[in-house]
Amino acid sequence: MDSEHVQCLDGCSEEEHKKILQMRDLVEKQDSTSKEYDDLTLRRFLRARDLDIDKACTMFLKYLKWRKTFVPNGSISVSEIPNHIAQNKLFMQGTDKSGRLITVVFGGRHYPNKPGSLEEFKRYVVFTLERIISRTPPGQEKFVAIADIQGWGYSNSDIRGYLAALSILQDYYPERLGKMFVVHVPRVFMAAWKMVYPFIDEKTKKKIVFVENKQLKSTLLQDIDESQLPEIYGGKLELVPIQDS
């Protein structure tokens, strides 16, 4: 048995282990490319569907079909997402106290009306998630996000984009988000949030924390050491743009 399978079994219950084996048998019969994915991947899809094998198989097979179409070359390059990379709105570095990679997203820097279609934004989301996964520390599967909404206005509003990003995260990268802190939230943002909220699954909703400005640093320090906290939130870590990191 290879190390990837052993790693998964170390963190699996007996029930999960049995269901992973059952799921693997089912999906490999329907799509031979599923053999390329380890048990940790299957476990994430199982957990996303509360260990319901049929639902997890359906979800995983849908992911395989999507990936062949959307990421036919196996990855997305910076050259495919120039408009969104230029907005300099996402950073990833440092880890929280649990060892999960930290990402910081600036909602006020996202301009959907600038050159770049919804399809490019979808590619940008996938590029970002793939970059996060590639930098995830050993033994970790999840990441932590700080969504900074400071300066957000109607020109930044992108309901279609938000829903697309949410769908990609929930449908194709399940059990990857560990926690999301939403900070510097202007009142105007809540109108857009109310439109997106119904589409967030219950598991994801429980991972989202809105942080009051007065308690910003103290709240973040509960999960993130000061040495790993970005300087803009009172920590000591300097942010580096994703394309430079």
Side-chain angles (χ1 to χ4, degrees):
M1 184 175 292
D2 61 44
S3 61
E4 291 177 329
H5 285 66
V6 171
Q7 181 183 9
C8 175
L9 297 179
D10 286 345
C12 287
S13 65
E14 185 176 349
E15 179 186 12
E16 281 184 328
H17 176 47
K18 289 180 179 179
K19 290 192 173 185
I20 287 170
L21 294 177
Q22 290 177 271
M23 181 179 172
R24 180 170 293 284
D25 183 57
L26 290 169
V27 296
E28 287 185 1
K29 288 178 180 178
Q30 297 187 62
D31 190 330
S32 61
T33 62
S34 59
K35 295 178 182 179
E36 301 171 10
Y37 295 85
D38 62 17
D39 287 349
L40 289 168
T41 302
L42 297 188
R43 186 177 68 175
R44 284 192 294 274
F45 281 85
L46 263 175
R47 288 180 172 178
R49 290 297 177 262
D50 297 315
L51 304 188
D52 184 308
I53 294 176
D54 290 337
K55 290 181 179 178
C57 285
T58 298
M59 185 185 191
F60 182 65
L61 290 168
K62 179 184 176 183
Y63 162 74
L64 293 181
K65 183 178 180 180
W66 165 82
R67 190 165 184 87
K68 290 170 189 174
T69 303
F70 199 79
V71 197
N73 298 321
S75 64
I76 291 173
S77 67
V78 172
S79 63
E80 296 179 72
I81 50 174
N83 297 293
H84 291 284
I85 284 289
Q87 291 176 3
N88 199 31
K89 58 194 171 188
L90 189 138
F91 302 77
M92 57 177 73
Q93 61 214 89
T95 55
D96 74 350
K97 293 178 181 178
S98 297
R100 299 175 295 191
L101 181 69
I102 299 169
T103 67
V104 184
V105 184
F106 293 96
R109 298 182 185 180
H110 175 67
Y111 289 97
N113 294 326
K114 285 196 172 185
S117 65
L118 178 62
E119 288 303 307
E120 184 187 330
F121 180 62
K122 290 179 183 179
R123 290 195 294 271
Y124 176 76
V125 172
V126 173
F127 169 87
T128 297
L129 289 169
E130 291 289 331
R131 183 68 70 90
I132 289 171
I133 291 168
S134 71
R135 296 186 58 181
T136 297
Q140 289 292 337
E141 296 183 79
K142 300 184 179 184
F143 68 95
V144 172
I146 300 175
D148 194 322
I149 319 298
Q150 189 166 33
W152 189 94
Y154 288 118
S155 60
N156 304 114
S157 184
D158 184 13
I159 302 302
R160 289 198 308 157
Y162 300 154
L163 292 176
L166 182 64
S167 176
I168 290 170
L169 178 66
Q170 294 182 162
D171 297 342
Y172 306 131
Y173 295 86
E175 296 298 303
R176 284 296 190 182
L177 177 65
K179 194 170 188 177
M180 176 181 287
F181 298 96
V182 187
V183 306
H184 294 146
V185 184
R187 289 184 181 179
V188 67
F189 173 76
M190 297 313 295
W193 177 252
K194 289 178 181 178
M195 296 177 70
V196 174
Y197 188 78
F199 296 93
I200 305 175
D201 66 36
E202 292 304 316
K203 285 191 174 184
T204 304
K205 286 177 180 176
K206 293 176 182 178
K207 299 173 183 178
I208 300 173
V209 179
F210 278 77
V211 184
E212 294 183 15
N213 290 343
K214 293 181 180 179
Q215 301 175 344
L216 179 57
K217 183 178 179 180
S218 61
T219 299
L220 293 177
L221 283 177
Q222 290 177 20
D223 287 71
I224 305 170
D225 187 80
E226 188 174 29
S227 66
Q228 302 295 298
L229 186 67
E231 292 176 332
I232 56 173
Y233 305 123
K236 299 180 179 180
L237 197 66
E238 182 181 355
L239 290 178
V240 178
I242 184 173
Q243 62 268 33
D244 298 330
S245 61

